[in-house]
Amino acid sequence: MNNKDHKNAPESLMMSYGYKPELSEGAIKPPIFQTSTFVFKTAEEGKAFFEVAYGLRNKGEDEEQGLIYSRINNPNLEILENRLCLWDQSDDCAVFESGMSAISTVLMEFLKPGDLLVYSSPVYGGTDHFINHLLPRIGVESVGIRADHTKEDIIEMIEETGKADKLAMIYLETPANPTNAVMDISMCREIGDKYKTEDKEVVLAVDNTYMGPIWCHPMEHGADLVMYSATKYIGGHSDLIAGAVLGKQEHMNRVKVLRTFLGNMASPNTCWLLTRSLETLKLRMDQQMQNAKAVANTFKDHELIHKVHYLDLLEEGTRSYDIYKRQYSSPGAMISIEVKGGEKEAFKFLNELKLFKLAVSLGGTESLAQHPCSMTHAGVDPVAKIQMGITDNLVRLSIGIENADDLIHDISQALIAVSKMNEMAV
Ligand SMILES: *Cc1c(COP(=O)(O)O)cnc(C)c1O
């Protein structure tokens, strides 16, 4: 085998890529560069760094962007961004102080007054709020589409707005939180291309928090931009808030310039924690998925459970199953279950869990359970909520890295408590 042709997998590069120990006293791990500003060798150098950072000229062929000021760049930020690029094979990455700041920066950069936005529904509550309450203030109209809409349905909905020529962005979150409904990324690429013109692109942006960066690479399916709440799987330890955007260079240049002026980049300390998290990202996510599979399969026919929503339980031959197989390399580690009964039964179940913690958020090493109808999606319109399948008996589980048998035991004993409560009521 030719050594030169060998390409290391991302998980092999997470411990070293983009960091030169000789620049930091030989330290095996990058120190935290807790500094606001960087000393220029000469005034000419400072001028050259700013020219590139502010887009006054393109970077020369072998030129590297020099360090200026920690709102613009910082070694911890750059090492992290370079490593994140490896998973999605993107040109560039920008890390933010939260998932919401990553998402809102993308929406603000690529939408302007008069534009039309198409977005998948349900989306994360914060995203929903930004789209439905903040974007209208700057004159951006939006249309929500669901997983059960066909390509023809969506085109009809776009035409009905009378603003089809103003379509500027399609924004997807898939699988949907909390129902695990899957959206077809490549179909949305085709819809976007139908409405692009010579002087107007239609940007396809995908929130890949649930599946990435390991199990889905949206750019392979036609996405222009990929967004993450790095608070979730990427951080993975429920001890930080962060976000990331990845994509092609021309789009990322715009994202990074807006980030510079909004000042919503992640701090050196947060970046350092995320760099540490990346070393175990694949290990953690794979274990979480194995555990989720075991949990979903154990409870799929349980007498106290109406339905388990998990990608591996999708029926072969359905449209959702086809999208799942085409788009994802794993069923993921998020499960939603419908407990038989209503809010009372769902709450009893949640209150009886011991190993699972009752908390929102997801993707961390510890398993979490929550009630979307009254918690993460409490603000969603009640009628729309039912259409999306966010019922009062739905419980969302984020599966962690604990022993699978212990997780199964915990769910079993909580279900027994629910049945005892019901027996007593009879
Ligand atoms: C949590 C989450 C967000 C928001 O991220 P923050 O880091 O909390 O700002 C966005 N999208 C999805 C799918 C999420 O789960």
Side-chain angles (χ1 to χ4, degrees), residues 281-292:
L281 179 71
K282 186 164 188 301
L283 268 180
R284 285 185 280 111
M285 288 183 78
D286 282 344
Q287 188 61 50
Q288 285 170 280
M289 179 260 290
Q290 292 299 343
N291 287 357

Side-chain angles (χ1 to χ4, degrees), residues 98-100 103 124 127 173 177 207 209 229 231-232 241-242 362:
S98 70
M100 275 317 300
I103 291 164
Y124 180 73
T127 310
E173 184 181 311
N177 175 7
D207 181 336
T209 299
S229 167
T231 310
K232 314 295 167 53
I241 300 278
L362 60 101

Side-chain angles (χ1 to χ4, degrees), residues 4-127:
K4 273 206 213 106
D5 291 340
H6 182 79
K7 218 168 153 249
N8 287 320
E11 62 267 32
S12 303
L13 297 171
M14 285 303 116
M15 282 62 79
S16 59
Y17 187 76
Y19 169 65
K20 297 188 187 113
E22 63 270 26
L23 296 180
S24 296
E25 307 276 7
I28 183 88
K29 293 288 145 175
I32 303 177
F33 288 85
Q34 192 71 50
T35 183
S36 58
T37 195
F38 297 86
V39 179
F40 303 135
K41 288 196 190 87
T42 61
E44 287 77 7
E45 186 187 72
K47 178 181 176 181
F49 289 179
F50 265 98
E51 282 169 348
V52 175
Y54 280 17
L56 304 178
R57 65 170 172 87
N58 287 329
K59 210 159 51 178
E61 227 166 68
D62 293 320
E63 189 178 3
E64 277 192 40
Q65 170 66 59
L67 292 161
I68 298 176
Y69 182 70
S70 288
R71 176 157 48 74
I72 299 170
N73 53 14
N74 175 286
N76 294 111
L77 191 61
E78 291 186 344
I79 293 165
L80 172 63
E81 290 173 347
N82 291 342
R83 288 185 192 175
L84 274 172
C85 282
L86 296 176
W87 299 98
D88 280 308
Q89 295 190 26
S90 71
D91 293 346
D92 202 357
C93 167
V95 171
F96 289 82
E97 64 187 347
S98 70
M100 275 317 300
S101 58
I103 291 164
S104 53
T105 300
V106 163
L107 292 171
M108 283 194 287
E109 177 57 37
F110 295 97
L111 292 168
K112 61 180 187 313
D115 279 349
L116 178 70
L117 165 72
V118 165
Y119 72 101
S120 66
S121 157
V123 276
Y124 180 73
T127 310

Side-chain angles (χ1 to χ4, degrees), residues 179-199:
T179 56
N180 273 340
V182 285
M183 299 296 303
D184 190 336
I185 301 172
S186 55
M187 176 190 79
C188 289
R189 174 80 274 164
E190 288 168 20
I191 296 171
D193 287 347
K194 178 178 156 62
Y195 289 104
K196 78 169 180 208
T197 62
E198 242 172 56
D199 40 32

Side-chain angles (χ1 to χ4, degrees), residues 294-328:
V295 168
N297 280 311
T298 304
F299 294 101
K300 64 176 196 272
D301 299 317
H302 195 280
E303 54 179 8
L304 292 173
I305 291 179
H306 177 60
K307 189 166 175 156
V308 176
H309 299 270
Y310 185 58
L311 294 194
D312 219 25
L313 300 178
L314 286 171
E315 213 175 301
E316 238 181 288
T318 59
R319 182 174 163 221
S320 298
Y321 181 86
D322 290 344
I323 299 171
Y324 159 45
K325 286 292 163 185
R326 185 154 35 85
Q327 232 163 248
Y328 304 111

Side-chain angles (χ1 to χ4, degrees), residues 82-373:
N82 291 342
R83 288 185 192 175
L84 274 172
C85 282
L86 296 176
W87 299 98
D88 280 308
Q89 295 190 26
S90 71
D91 293 346
D92 202 357
C93 167
V95 171
F96 289 82
E97 64 187 347
S98 70
M100 275 317 300
S101 58
I103 291 164
S104 53
T105 300
V106 163
L107 292 171
M108 283 194 287
E109 177 57 37
F110 295 97
L111 292 168
K112 61 180 187 313
D115 279 349
L116 178 70
L117 165 72
V118 165
Y119 72 101
S120 66
S121 157
V123 276
Y124 180 73
T127 310
D128 192 271
H129 183 89
F130 199 89
I131 290 173
N132 288 300
H133 296 275
L134 289 148
L135 289 182
R137 291 206 323 226
I138 58 162
V140 174
E141 201 180 305
S142 55
V143 185
I145 57 170
R146 288 195 316 265
D148 54 317
H149 287 132
T150 62
K151 187 175 174 185
E152 291 68 36
D153 293 338
I154 296 167
I155 289 173
E156 202 180 309
M157 291 161 83
I158 293 170
E159 295 293 340
E160 269 171 17
T161 64
K163 296 180 73 175
D165 60 327
K166 297 286 184 192
L167 179 66
M169 184 190 284
I170 302 177
Y171 180 101
L172 302 178
E173 184 181 311
T174 176
N177 175 7
T179 56
N180 273 340
V182 285
M183 299 296 303
D184 190 336
I185 301 172
S186 55
M187 176 190 79
C188 289
R189 174 80 274 164
E190 288 168 20
I191 296 171
D193 287 347
K194 178 178 156 62
Y195 289 104
K196 78 169 180 208
T197 62
E198 242 172 56
D199 40 32
K200 183 198 64 125
E201 63 172 342
V202 178
V203 174
L204 179 58
V206 178
D207 181 336
N208 196 34
T209 299
Y210 254 47
M211 283 293 191
I214 305 285
W215 303 317
C216 178
H217 305 294
M219 283 183 270
E220 289 172 6
H221 304 278
D224 297 305
L225 290 166
V226 182
M227 291 152 303
Y228 293 102
S229 167
T231 310
K232 314 295 167 53
Y233 289 102
I234 294 174
H237 294 71
S238 306
D239 55 4
L240 60 85
I241 300 278
V245 180
L246 295 103
K248 287 189 216 96
Q249 199 61 56
E250 74 241 42
H251 291 124
M252 289 311 299
N253 288 347
R254 291 177 57 180
V255 170
K256 282 194 154 167
V257 168
L258 187 56
R259 184 185 65 175
T260 290
F261 296 106
L262 289 174
N264 53 0
M265 71 299 151
S267 73
N269 193 60
T270 295
C271 293
W272 185 88
L273 281 168
L274 283 166
T275 306
R276 181 174 182 152
S277 289
L278 280 183
E279 298 189 5
T280 56
L281 179 71
K282 186 164 188 301
L283 268 180
R284 285 185 280 111
M285 288 183 78
D286 282 344
Q287 188 61 50
Q288 285 170 280
M289 179 260 290
Q290 292 299 343
N291 287 357
K293 266 189 178 172
V295 168
N297 280 311
T298 304
F299 294 101
K300 64 176 196 272
D301 299 317
H302 195 280
E303 54 179 8
L304 292 173
I305 291 179
H306 177 60
K307 189 166 175 156
V308 176
H309 299 270
Y310 185 58
L311 294 194
D312 219 25
L313 300 178
L314 286 171
E315 213 175 301
E316 238 181 288
T318 59
R319 182 174 163 221
S320 298
Y321 181 86
D322 290 344
I323 299 171
Y324 159 45
K325 286 292 163 185
R326 185 154 35 85
Q327 232 163 248
Y328 304 111
S329 60
S330 145
M334 292 298 295
I335 302 174
S336 285
I337 59 173
E338 289 179 51
V339 181
K340 273 192 188 156
E343 186 186 271
K344 185 163 155 247
E345 285 76 11
F347 276 16
K348 178 72 180 167
F349 174 72
L350 285 167
N351 290 338
E352 291 292 334
L353 288 169
K354 292 183 173 66
L355 192 55
F356 278 83
K357 295 295 170 248
L358 176 49
V360 299
S361 198
L362 60 101
T365 44
E366 70 284 290
S367 293
L368 299 178
Q370 67 111 1
H371 187 246
C373 189

